[in-house]
Amino acid sequence: MNYVTFGGVTVGLCILGYEIMSWWPGRKALMKDPVKHAATLLPFLAAWCYGCLTTLGIAGLIGTASSSVLGLSNWLGDAALLWGVGEQPGQLAARKTFTPLSGPGACLVLILTAVLVAAVKKAGDQTRGELKRGVWCGITLGTSAGVAGFAAVPLAQAVNAVADSVYRTV
């Protein structure tokens, strides 16, 4: 299982904060049409879910890429904490409830990888950035013990359930 450090979570929260501030339309605009503005967050949220899924027991090239991104984020975040604010880096406790993906769930992640690659290729510059930041944020926050980490458990259960029903009917 992948682990995350204080620095890795800090990087993920920085990405999340950047995305929210870039998205924020203002209070009046948000109150006028909340559904329209909330819908613009969907590419980031979908990519976040995919990034989170890649940390849940996925091996092979996808798992290696996810682990590499997490390791780089841990290193960058730890260096920023140490040199930026003088805080000592350290490893966070992982989630106590770890729900790995089933075999069919891993198959669904492979399908989602193909969909994500196509979405990034087709998307405009702004959406392409949102998708990449969403995956990165999901990878860094998916293994944390906080709220984002707990979101990974129902996400994994949902993917396992959908994949099990799809592969049962095939």
Side-chain angles (χ1 to χ4, degrees), residues 64-158:
T64 302
S66 177
S67 293
S68 298
V69 168
L70 182 58
L72 179 64
S73 299
N74 286 340
W75 183 84
L76 288 172
D78 288 345
L81 287 176
L82 183 63
W83 297 330
V85 294
E87 181 62 37
Q88 291 299 318
Q91 184 176 339
L92 284 174
R95 288 187 312 271
K96 292 180 180 167
T97 53
F98 176 67
T99 305
L101 293 170
S102 63
C107 294
L108 189 56
V109 170
L110 181 60
I111 294 166
L112 292 174
T113 301
V115 171
L116 181 73
V117 168
V120 167
K121 195 171 185 179
K122 186 175 181 173
D125 287 338
Q126 181 178 356
T127 305
R128 186 176 296 126
E130 289 175 5
L131 291 170
K132 291 176 182 178
R133 287 188 300 271
V135 170
W136 190 4
C137 186
I139 289 170
T140 58
L141 297 180
T143 56
S144 70
V147 173
F150 286 120
V153 174
L155 181 62
Q157 291 172 342

Side-chain angles (χ1 to χ4, degrees), residues 36-61:
K36 174 187 166 194
H37 292 293
T40 60
L41 277 177
L42 288 179
F44 178 82
L45 181 61
W48 183 90
C49 290
Y50 170 79
C52 185
L53 286 171
T54 63
T55 64
L56 299 175
I58 296 294
L61 292 175

